[in-house]
């Protein structure tokens, strides 16, 4: 194995880092949040121009054909800026669309920045079990009729389309019987509630009460949507972990810098062994998480049992490490760690949200015990 | 151990408290305070007034200063029942911190001016200790008071001052001389006067509870000094130790454990109630074990009325704060997707619909979990408590 | 509640402490272990003369009628000396005998020091589940015929009698159907293997392959042995926790004294914050365990659901704290903590063994989740 | 990241190693070494001889010094396969510690005298660093060597010297001058000579692996000095860092994880296999997650052949030792009652019946768990590693 970056990767990462430094100060983020907007439309256009929205898409869909590694490097760099834009949810939905096929030019529109589909898969009771789908789609005169609810749709308030999983056959946790449907965000009968999340981003909660869709809304084979769904959720998790890594790294070095300058009891905080060891533990958790992400990337190409296992392990690792690093950063900062205006609290809230997503680390551990 | 059994008189007392709460706690106030959000000052003042009518507004004070004279067991029962019923927290800055200092070290004049209105719910306190360059390290405080005739004139900045924007009085620890242990003085200051600028600091929950307090030629009469000039360090230490003795937060942790169970029972996870997941159930059980041990450690600390045993204050502070953080974190985890939705404190307090969907127990859970991250920071961070244990308990 | 000691209790504890100081140095213990003996017969006689074997037994059985609190205080004091003698297993069996009735003068013989019955209840697969009994007793011409095996019988090598649980009806984990039998240690048909345990004490592994017993060997009601068994196991756990507390306390203060004198990097170990905080954690775990033991004592009198719950909680607490305190004591001692000749290793081994007894802390947590 | 995929050549190499082990590892030796007990020196020497015939007795050395010249990936595969097959550990004191120092800093004469017989399995090493008053702190060593003609004359005491009683040579760090960093020298000493008294120290398992070594006018020629006089501190540091790079003990931890699963599958707990207990299964899964991350951290550290990246040696030491302790502790727990029975290493090594009943996987488990408590103590205790991370990685 070779863990060194290629020249192109160095350029990609440097570009993203520079963008974050120049545009993503935390005061700007706070203003964006306070303005109530779901994402920055101008920033999204910049993402498109920088090629970031096209990065991992295949060339036949207007993409750059970059690897999962390229994608993870980009997202990690952006993660340090705690972006509010749904780059990761949209990229994940685009990869699911590519796998499912049949949505026309939608992936190309993603690459250009004009479409923002996101996955609407999790349900209030699914708790991260991939095959747990209670929403149902039934044949109707017009095509399909959708009933059910989807919770915590990441990027849901900024989306142009929802890629909705619904059961066309089988029982609620069966592997077979899940189909994917494309629902435009402006569908008149869609019960949509935009919800501010605890990390300041805006998601959505969707309700379908007999929502009518045309035949063409079904993507991929009827009752055979699981592979595309699995692909999309794998990209979603990969991206969220890479974002978390960028945030953890930022928390680590910000805390390091803080304890070097902050004085207590007549000396710098950094001279206390308890503080040093607390930071050493943060460093170890961060680098172990980075190692787990690399492990995931080494098996990421292609749907496989080993990828699923490593996805579960990464979920458990990031859940534990992310929470630890965030909480420890708050603790070592003291009062300022508790203030809304300061980035450390923002990072902690983001890492806590990510930890508990998709059933949390316990659900992931449960998946690892099944072998 | 002459007696480890429970006193039947205590159980009678518990019934008396329960009956009182049933008759006197306004249901709407209970609704507001039963979840993770914190009591408003107006609820606290109103509740203090109600308790005062029964003579119960200072459960931990001796009778001669207007308190109840209750045993520590009775105080614990009272706290427990009030918390369970959803009564708002009382003003602990006044009850556990500055109040005891006033009746112990204050002049008769000061006692007469301050204690009765506080007991009637007419004063809200804030505590002004921390400064931008002094958190757990009180020795480096820089806010300075200079005597000018019968007044002290105070200049400086305090930070992380909880509730200063709603307080009517603030007790400050300020510098009146040099040196760490003999240069500090404790002063009571009217919060509503020119010269005091209060800058809100939104906290990690995006709520306004913290403040920066800028003092610009603020005057307070010498008669508002607690005890002697230059002895503030000793008073502050006594106050923080008193705070730590209650830091295990037994009533709060008991309530959090019950709420955690309620959430786990009411939340479906992949087709079954979360409480039936053996791994999550084991995590709850681990927290319960911690609680059961901690409760008895607190009882041991409280029963040591003559201070002859070792001081467990720092033990209770460290483990109580770690437990409240663990329980609230488990609650957020148990909520699943609803732990990621931001619910509104204002909507809850006003009884209005929430902006996010979710079960009735969801609002307030995340907010409390965030707020409790401060439990291991304030009153001397847990790192400092561990050093205190090493020095005081282990004599290292 | 009043946590202060009565005058009698102060005398009892002082006496036991003095005995430990005068007789239980660790070199002596090591010699006793190396000699291969299962327990010190002379010491046992001293225990009897000091009244310790009679302490908690009712007066009608030749006992002193002491309380569970008195008993726990005595055992904690002796626990600091890591006694090899089976005082706790024998006391537990005696209390079970008192509850079951029908063993003639055996409890009085325990009080005098001439009999040493121990419980033989756990089986290789029972993992701490109280009602899990696969050993069976069937009616025979002579009385009863016993088949099965009992593992990790504490005090088993020094015992004069075994109080054996066996099923006379019901299925392996049923509440009803358990009976208690008294088997003399010198029974010719008993398959007994004395086994050195990892804490240097000697236990036994028993096998019954059609072992014949007279009618009178049945103690208490047929198929109704559970209450006496429960009582005996409760006393056993109480005693083991009290012993563990004494050992933890000893480890804490021994480590405290060690770091005060041991020098590294030009200064005492005790001046390093990491060492101070490690010891502070040991102190907190020890005092929380003591608090849990007091909680258990506050509900110990009489069989009740609250006692069972507190027993489970105490098992979990002592398992975690005991292991932590022992391992941390070894760590802070460095090399000397790994030497057989030094008491810290002995304490750690004892605490590890106690932790994993009866299914370990996880089994106890499992019991707490059932309500 | 030009390439995160596995090299197919590595898989071919793995097959080659496997075939070699199948043909050459004596089954009785494998039986002895497959459980928790440690390889005897005679097994290690015999296995070294067998490997030497194939040119593999120094997997981590360059070709010019008699090593294999393997890549780090190949070395990892070799370790992994050998461990899984039950091959005894090689002499890491020689292979990873003193050997590289000799071929890097030693004279041609020293290399010629020492390296070839070591590669043939004719030398067993021990390491003499720690002293009664110097554990992790090498600066305070007091054992002293004085030049007398062509010899050094050494006097002093070393302690916790693993395997000294079976060693033929010992490398000592001794004092030849004042000061911490310039007063120490590294000397090779024939272990079997008058003046060296070896006092066995039974360890926590009641086994003899540790020793105290008393040096009374022990002579060793100047030609046995490694590198320059007064530079021993630098050599010792390089050696300990090299040790830490392998401290994650990936092959050992992988084996321990597999053994843990085997025990959990083979042990009944209240009527069902322990592995079906969701709580215990989650504990195994947590350890596996830790292992999966740690393995890739070790790969990253090994792939950094030019040392341009950050040093992860202390990371690997801390987490590798914590993991091996966790895994072995879980194994003992999983054994249930059989984790409390004392099995005999001598009986195991001789293939004789055990004094205690139990399943075939029980012997050696507790012994290894006890021995591994030292993993967080030797080579610089974990507390010191955390301080090193703060200083070196975080620049504090």
């Amino acid at each position: 194995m070779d863990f060194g970056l290629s020249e192109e990767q160095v350029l990609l990462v440097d570009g993203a880092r520079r963008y974050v430094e120049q545009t993503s100060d935390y005061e700007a983020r706070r203003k964006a949040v306070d303005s109530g907007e779901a994402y920055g439309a101008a920033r999204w256009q910049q993402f498109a121009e920088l090629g970031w929205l096209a990065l991992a898409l295949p060339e036949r869909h207007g993409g750059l054909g970059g690897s999962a590694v390229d994608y993870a490097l980009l997202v990690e760099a952006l993660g340090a800026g705690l972006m509010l834009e749904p780059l990761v949810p949209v990229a994940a939905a685009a990869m699911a669309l590519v796998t499912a096929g049949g949505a026309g030019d939608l992936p190309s529109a993603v690459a250009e920045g004009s479409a923002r589909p996101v996955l609407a898969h999790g349900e209030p009771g699914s708790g991260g079990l991939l095959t747990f789908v209670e929403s149902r789609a039934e044949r109707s005169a017009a095509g399909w009729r959708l009933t059910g609810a989807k919770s915590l749709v990441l990027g849901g308030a900024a989306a142009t389309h929802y890629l909705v999983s619904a059961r066309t056959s089988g029982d609620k946790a069966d592997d077979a019987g899940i189909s994917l449907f494309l629902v435009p965000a402006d569908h008149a009968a869609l019960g949509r509630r935009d919800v501010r999340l605890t990390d300041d981003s805006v998601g959505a909660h969707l309700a379908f009460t007999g929502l009518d869709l045309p035949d063409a809304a079904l993507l991929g084979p009827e009752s055979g949507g699981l592979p595309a769904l699995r692909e999309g959720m794998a990209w979603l998790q990969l991206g969220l972990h890479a974002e978390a890594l960028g945030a953890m790294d930022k928390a680590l070095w910000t805390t390091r810098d803080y304890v070097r300058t902050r004085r207590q009891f007549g000396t710098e905080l950094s001279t206390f062994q308890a503080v040093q060891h607390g930071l050493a533990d943060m460093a170890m958790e961060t680098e172990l998480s980075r190692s787990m992400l690399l492990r995931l990337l080494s098996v990421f190409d292609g749907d496989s049992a080993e990828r699923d296992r490593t996805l579960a392990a990464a979920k458990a690792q990031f859940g534990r490490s992310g929470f630890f690093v965030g909480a420890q950063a708050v603790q070592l900062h003291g009062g300022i760690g508790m203030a809304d205006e300061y980035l450390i609290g923002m990072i902690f809230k983001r890492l806590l949200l990510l930890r508990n997503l998709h059933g949390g680390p316990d659900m992931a551990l449960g998946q690892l015990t099944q072998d | 151990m002459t007696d480890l059994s429970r006193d039947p008189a205590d159980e009678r007392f518990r019934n008396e408290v329960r009956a009182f709460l049933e008759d006197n706690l306004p249901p709407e106030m209970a609704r507001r305070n039963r979840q993770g959000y914190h009591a408003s000052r107006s609820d606290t003042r109103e509740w203090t007034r109600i308790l005062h009518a029964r003579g119960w507004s200072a459960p931990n004070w001796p009778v001669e200063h207007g308190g109840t004279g209750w045993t520590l067991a009775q105080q614990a029962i009272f706290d427990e029942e009030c918390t369970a019923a959803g009564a708002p927290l009382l003003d602990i800055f006044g009850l556990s911190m500055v109040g005891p200092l006033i009746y112990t070290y204050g002049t008769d004049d000061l006692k007469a001016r301050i204690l009765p209105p506080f007991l009637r719910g007419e004063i809200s306190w804030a505590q002004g200790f921390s400064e931008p360059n002094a958190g757990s390290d009180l020795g480096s405080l820089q806010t300075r008071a200079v005597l000018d005739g019968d007044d002290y004139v105070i200049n400086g900045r305090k930070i992380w001052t909880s509730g200063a924007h709603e307080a009517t009085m603030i007790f400050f620890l300020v510098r009146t001389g040099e040196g760490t242990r003999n240069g500090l003085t404790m002063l009571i200051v009217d919060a509503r006067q020119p010269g005091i600028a209060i800058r809100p600091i939104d906290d990690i929950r995006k709520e306004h509870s913290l403040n920066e307090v800028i003092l610009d030629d603020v005057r307070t009469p010498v008669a508002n000094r607690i005890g002697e000039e230059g002895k503030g360090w000793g008073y502050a230490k006594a106050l923080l130790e008193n705070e730590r003795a209650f830091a295990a937060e037994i009533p709060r942790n008991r309530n959090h454990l019950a709420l955690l169970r309620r959430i786990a029972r009411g939340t479906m996870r992949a087709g079954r109630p979360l409480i039936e997941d053996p791994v999550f159930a084991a995590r709850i059980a681990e927290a319960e074990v911690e609680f059961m041990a901690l409760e008895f450690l607190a009882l041991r600390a409280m029963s040591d009325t003559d201070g002859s045993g070792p001081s467990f204050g720092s033990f209770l502070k460290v483990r109580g704060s770690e437990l409240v953080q663990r329980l609230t974190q488990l609650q957020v985890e148990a909520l699943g997707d609803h732990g990621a939705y931001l619910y509104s404190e204002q909507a809850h307090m006003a009884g209005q619909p929430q902006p996010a969907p979710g079960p009735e127990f969801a609002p307030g859970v995340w907010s409390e979990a965030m707020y409790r991250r401060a439990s291991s920071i304030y009153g001397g961070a847990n790192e400092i408590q561990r050093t205190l244990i090493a020095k005081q308990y282990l004599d290292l």
Side-chain angles (χ1 to χ4, degrees), chain A residues 229-243:
Chain A
L229 182 63
R230 195 186 290 280
E231 187 70 10
M233 289 303 287
W235 280 89
L236 182 64
Q237 288 189 55
L238 174 66
L240 293 175
H241 295 331
E243 269 195 273

Side-chain angles (χ1 to χ4, degrees), chain A:
Chain A
M1 291 186 191
D2 175 3
F3 294 99
L5 298 196
S6 70
E7 264 178 63
E8 291 79 5
Q9 288 170 337
V10 170
L11 287 173
L12 176 73
V13 169
D14 282 353
R17 284 203 188 133
R18 220 172 314 117
Y19 181 86
V20 166
E21 275 160 29
Q22 287 166 2
T23 70
S24 314
D25 67 289
Y26 298 90
E27 196 45 38
R29 184 180 191 271
R30 214 157 72 99
K31 280 194 187 125
V33 170
D34 291 346
S35 78
E37 64 180 15
Y39 80 113
R43 281 168 63 90
W44 194 260
Q45 208 42 54
Q46 290 165 350
F47 288 8
E49 283 156 20
L50 288 160
W52 294 346
L53 302 178
L55 184 65
L57 280 168
E59 290 171 20
R60 69 178 186 283
H61 287 290
L64 298 172
S67 67
V69 173
D70 299 335
Y71 172 74
L73 288 168
L74 168 70
V75 174
E76 182 196 337
L78 296 176
L82 288 183
M83 62 178 160
L84 292 163
E85 288 70 29
L87 183 139
V88 167
V90 169
M95 299 310 278
L97 285 169
V98 168
T99 305
D105 265 349
L106 201 54
S108 308
V110 168
E112 284 164 11
S114 58
R116 288 177 303 282
V118 298
L119 288 162
H121 169 55
E123 302 187 359
S126 58
L129 184 61
L130 185 70
T131 57
F132 191 97
V133 176
E134 289 188 305
S135 295
R136 297 210 150 258
E138 281 165 12
R139 287 271 181 203
S140 69
W144 296 95
R145 177 162 292 175
L146 214 56
T147 317
K150 296 289 176 181
S151 61
L152 194 50
V153 178
L154 295 180
T160 56
H161 301 76
Y162 301 105
L163 192 54
V164 177
S165 58
R167 219 159 248 300
T168 42
S169 64
D171 229 9
K172 60 184 173 190
D174 287 351
D175 274 18
I178 299 170
S179 302
L180 291 177
F181 296 91
L182 193 67
V183 179
D186 56 3
H187 191 296
L190 178 62
R192 164 178 159 188
R193 202 157 160 190
D194 291 351
V195 182
R196 180 70 64 179
L197 304 183
T198 53
D199 70 342
D200 301 327
S201 69
V202 193
H205 190 94
L206 305 182
F208 322 106
T209 46
L211 179 129
D212 283 317
L213 294 170
D215 265 335
L218 174 68
L219 302 183
E222 181 181 334
S223 289
L226 190 58
L229 182 63
R230 195 186 290 280
E231 187 70 10
M233 289 303 287
W235 280 89
L236 182 64
Q237 288 189 55
L238 174 66
L240 293 175
H241 295 331
E243 269 195 273
L245 181 61
M248 287 159 73
D249 204 77
K250 182 82 186 170
L252 170 65
W253 297 105
T254 304
T255 307
R256 194 277 307 260
D257 292 345
Y258 180 79
V259 303
R260 270 179 168 174
T261 52
R262 173 80 174 164
R263 294 178 68 86
Q264 289 258 293
F265 302 102
T267 178
E268 289 78 26
L269 266 188
S270 61
T271 60
F272 291 99
Q273 209 176 29
V275 171
Q276 294 181 355
H277 288 195
L279 271 157
D281 285 330
M282 288 172 71
M284 286 190 277
E285 293 295 331
T286 303
E287 287 303 335
L288 282 169
S289 291
R290 189 187 307 280
S291 302
M292 185 63 96
L293 188 70
L294 289 165
R295 182 174 197 124
L296 175 59
L297 286 166
S298 78
V299 299
F300 197 80
D301 289 338
D303 191 357
S304 72
E306 198 177 349
R307 180 172 81 167
D308 285 349
R309 233 183 129 63
T310 314
L311 278 166
K315 173 80 186 134
Q317 174 73 46
F318 273 90
R320 191 198 60 192
S321 297
F323 182 80
F324 175 84
V325 168
Q328 186 72 8
V330 170
Q331 178 71 22
L332 291 176
H333 273 82
I336 186 78
M338 292 294 295
D340 178 52
E341 66 202 84
Y342 192 59
L343 74 122
I344 285 295
M346 297 181 195
I347 291 178
F348 175 55
K349 290 188 285 185
R350 174 74 179 157
L351 291 170
L352 175 64
L353 181 144
L354 291 177
R355 175 191 192 278
N356 290 332
L357 221 53
H358 305 137
D362 281 351
M363 170 60 80
L365 289 177
Q367 286 161 358
L368 280 173
T369 63
Q370 281 146 24
D371 61 346

